[in-house]
Amino acid sequence: MSNEAPVKNLDKVLDLLTYLSQQDEPQNVAQLSRYLNVTRNTIYAMLASLQSRNFVEKSSDGRFSIGYGLLQLVSNYNHQYPFLYTAQRHMQDLSVQMGLPVSLFVYKPGLNCLRLSSTEPTAALSPGGLVHACTTAPGKLLLAAQPDEVIWEELKTNPIEKYTEKTITKPEQILAQIPTYRSAEYAVEFGERFSNSGTVAASIRDRADHVVAAISVFLGAMPSEERLQNYVGQLRLTAARISAELGNFRTILI
């Protein structure tokens, strides 16, 4: 019982930071108190501690927003992915060419892929968002890059929700697709996560020829076959260029 209070307090602090990060404008103490269902004195104490570490900032009118101290945490996290900054340069160029936001994904346990970066961060495309690996093009490529025993264990322990009529939920059907995605440098998915939208993705490989990430675009409507193939070609070429800068020359650049 003695450990419950500190854990609950920590949960509240994390809830506070998460809430502030989701708001379009700074929040006052009364708003935060109502949201967290705690007293204003508690909110003041939490904010004072966070402000001392620059995790929140106070505006001239006494309202609060997330602070620049969090940038250091994000930067430290991004250092785990040394290919990120190389990829971002190429992603910006590709986004201009395609006229679409381009995202970078990495695999995370639990049949998830993490959006590590986006050329046009929005509520739907913000970095840090998780999407189901089995229902998106980048997720399919990243899942297929995992060892067989990892894939099987993930499928065995993480049931797949049937989002649409096209969602594949049976492990044996997903396993049957793995060889195709392992040999391909790209993937296309439409209607498996959302009925009227889809994703296209291409694999990024490191010097050791391991798939370390995938770049992807979101399709709000099904394009013509010609346009789809154009998207695939542009994504593959950009992924190959990023891979080459990482020391992987398996894919011949045209």
Side-chain angles (χ1 to χ4, degrees), residues 130-162:
L130 289 175
V131 295
H132 202 292
C134 295
T135 61
T136 61
K140 291 174 185 290
L141 292 174
L142 293 170
L143 178 63
Q146 307 307 308
D148 288 339
E149 60 273 18
V150 171
I151 297 174
W152 177 244
E153 187 63 26
E154 292 275 64
L155 291 172
K156 186 170 62 176
T157 57
N158 297 282
I160 303 168
E161 178 182 347
K162 192 168 184 62

Side-chain angles (χ1 to χ4, degrees), residues 203-214:
S203 301
I204 295 173
R205 295 176 177 270
D206 64 9
R207 180 186 297 272
D209 206 31
H210 297 140
V211 174
V212 293

Side-chain angles (χ1 to χ4, degrees), residues 15-35:
D15 287 343
L16 172 61
L17 285 173
T18 301
Y19 177 72
L20 286 176
S21 72
Q22 296 170 342
Q23 305 311 303
D24 294 329
E25 57 184 26
Q27 303 290 292
N28 60 38
V29 170
Q31 290 170 311
L32 297 173
S33 176
R34 285 194 299 271
Y35 174 74

Side-chain angles (χ1 to χ4, degrees), residues 4-5 25 32 37 53 58 115 147 166 180 206 219 221 235 249:
E4 289 185 4
E25 57 184 26
L32 297 173
N37 194 28
R53 293 166 174 77
K58 187 178 181 180
R115 182 179 286 104
K166 292 185 178 180
T180 298
D206 64 9
L219 304 176
L235 279 163
F249 298 96

Side-chain angles (χ1 to χ4, degrees), residues 17-18 20-21 50 53-57 65-77:
L17 285 173
T18 301
L20 286 176
S21 72
L50 291 170
R53 293 166 174 77
N54 300 312
F55 291 162
V56 299
E57 296 179 24
S65 58
I66 56 172
Y68 62 86
L70 295 173
L71 289 174
Q72 185 64 48
L73 299 182
V74 173
S75 177
N76 289 340
Y77 184 81

